[in-house]
Amino acid sequence: MVDEVSPVQVDLDFDQPGKTFGALRVPHSSNDSAYGQIIIPIVVIGNGNGPTLLFTGGVHGDESEGPIALMSFCREVDPNTLNGRVIVLPTLNLPAVHAATRICPLDGRDLNRVFPGDPRGSFTQVLAHYVVSSLFPLSDVVVDFHSGGHTLKYIPCVIIHKHRRDFTASLAAGRAFGSPMILISKDLETAGFLGNTSEAAGILTLTCELGGGMVSPGTVDLAKAGISNLLRHFGLTAGGPAMSERSGGPPARLVEIVDLDGYVVAPKQGLYEPFVDLGESLQKGAALGRVHHAGHTWDPPSTLFATRPGLVICRRPPAHVHPGDCVAIIGQVVE
Ligand SMILES: [Zn+2]
């Protein structure tokens, strides 16, 4: 299906040197617009013969750190300082970004669960197929900028995958990004992800989780620094060592999610009271928090316990929970 022609129209030349602001025109027939198009910004910045980096943001519309940093980068970067090409889609899932939702409001699909997409499918599937069929073949490196959005907050990190043949190169790029943590994933839940699809195509890939819950100056600055550091790491810009090394800060912690037991979920509907915060170390069986059963004041709360020892690398900011909502992720520190 990847070989089928995409219905997406593109109004820019990927080989044009300099900086070009263009658009993807994704067909979307609706009650309000019979031959309608959803117009998604794409920016190509090119100069010289260096590698091509593809940066995507806004795959989930409630994760704003990456889009803010990527839009700033596109406006501010001087193409003459580059040797190579950067293709940027700061707000790839634009309808979801405008709606501030994780899921695309046009078809109810999660863009990061439908890759490699379908050129004859719904809006989200068509968009994913275009990225795979037209942008991945141009790219040497893919970086997909996420965060925890409305419902999760991570220790800011870069995610790499353990069993890839280019693990060493991925780890070096992850260290260059400059986040305080590198999360080693074992592909526990990966069907339809952008990053797994680009890796399967043989492209060096990083996925960032830049905090979440609420945009902060620190996480946006980290995203901006990460962009700059990766350009340097992959030789698109000259200069000294990457910012993370230059600042003399502690090296990124390597943390692994060992199995699905690391994901702690609410057992009942109610209000979650956390006992621990991000970055705290736990023993197995330690109390993580409890769910108060709103409407049943007399019922004792349900306490949640750590299912394994480790570090709280992610937790849910909203107190309101339904059964099955992830309230915390526990990772195992590797170094
Ligand atoms: Zn996301």
Side-chain angles (χ1 to χ4, degrees), residues 3-264:
D3 294 334
E4 287 189 35
V5 174
S6 172
V8 175
Q9 295 173 261
V10 191
D11 60 1
L12 61 73
D13 176 1
F14 287 97
D15 295 323
Q16 172 80 30
K19 187 180 342 186
T20 309
F21 290 86
L24 307 182
R25 301 180 181 277
V26 187
H28 181 63
S29 170
S30 71
N31 287 332
D32 299 320
S33 187
Y35 287 97
Q37 299 176 337
I38 304 299
I39 298 172
I40 296 173
I42 180 169
V43 186
V44 177
I45 307 138
N47 185 47
N49 300 315
T52 295
L53 275 54
L54 173 64
F55 290 156
T56 51
V59 164
H60 292 132
D62 63 338
E63 302 172 5
S64 304
E65 295 84 349
I68 290 169
L70 290 169
M71 286 189 283
S72 302
F73 166 73
C74 290
R75 289 192 308 272
E76 294 164 10
V77 66
D78 176 357
N80 295 315
T81 63
L82 298 184
N83 177 32
R85 177 171 59 175
V86 192
I87 302 172
V88 191
L89 295 109
T91 50
L92 178 58
N93 192 353
L94 188 65
V97 172
H98 280 150
T101 54
R102 176 178 180 84
I103 304 298
C104 180
L106 300 183
D107 58 11
R109 293 183 188 273
D110 181 334
L111 176 56
N112 212 29
R113 298 293 184 276
V114 303
F115 278 82
D118 180 350
R120 290 177 288 181
S122 67
F123 168 82
T124 303
Q125 293 169 306
V126 168
L127 183 59
H129 172 266
Y130 173 79
V131 171
V132 173
S133 62
S134 299
L135 299 183
F136 284 176
L138 302 176
S139 305
D140 299 298
V141 177
V142 169
V143 187
D144 191 23
F145 289 76
H146 288 254
S147 78
H150 289 325
T151 63
L152 291 175
K153 182 176 183 180
Y154 282 86
I155 296 175
C157 62
V158 170
I159 300 175
I160 59 176
H161 293 104
K162 189 165 189 171
H163 301 300
R164 302 295 174 187
R165 59 177 170 74
D166 57 1
F167 178 77
T168 304
S170 301
L171 182 58
R175 289 193 194 281
F177 188 91
S179 58
M181 181 174 78
I182 296 172
L183 193 56
I184 302 171
S185 165
K186 277 182 152 177
D187 294 349
L188 298 172
E189 194 225 340
T190 57
F193 282 37
L194 184 155
N196 294 77
T197 311
S198 56
E199 281 193 328
I203 306 168
L204 197 154
T205 301
L206 299 179
T207 303
C208 312
E209 293 287 1
L210 297 160
M214 188 182 290
V215 172
S216 71
T219 48
V220 172
D221 284 350
L222 175 63
K224 291 178 177 177
I227 293 167
S228 171
N229 290 338
L230 289 179
L231 294 181
R232 207 175 293 133
H233 178 74
F234 288 107
L236 277 78
T237 55
M243 197 170 292
S244 55
E245 298 163 32
R246 203 174 56 224
S247 67
R253 274 190 292 193
L254 285 188
V255 178
E256 191 171 350
I257 299 177
V258 178
D259 55 32
L260 289 173
D261 282 349
Y263 295 79
V264 182

Side-chain angles (χ1 to χ4, degrees), residues 240-308:
M243 197 170 292
S244 55
E245 298 163 32
R246 203 174 56 224
S247 67
R253 274 190 292 193
L254 285 188
V255 178
E256 191 171 350
I257 299 177
V258 178
D259 55 32
L260 289 173
D261 282 349
Y263 295 79
V264 182
V265 300
K268 292 183 176 178
Q269 184 174 356
L271 301 176
Y272 180 65
E273 174 191 3
F275 294 159
V276 297
D277 214 333
L278 278 183
E280 291 192 37
S281 294
L282 302 171
Q283 298 298 318
K284 183 177 179 179
L288 275 170
R290 57 184 178 175
V291 178
H292 297 267
H293 308 304
H296 300 269
T297 306
W298 50 89
D299 280 354
S302 300
T303 302
L304 300 181
F305 299 98
T307 45
R308 57 170 47 259

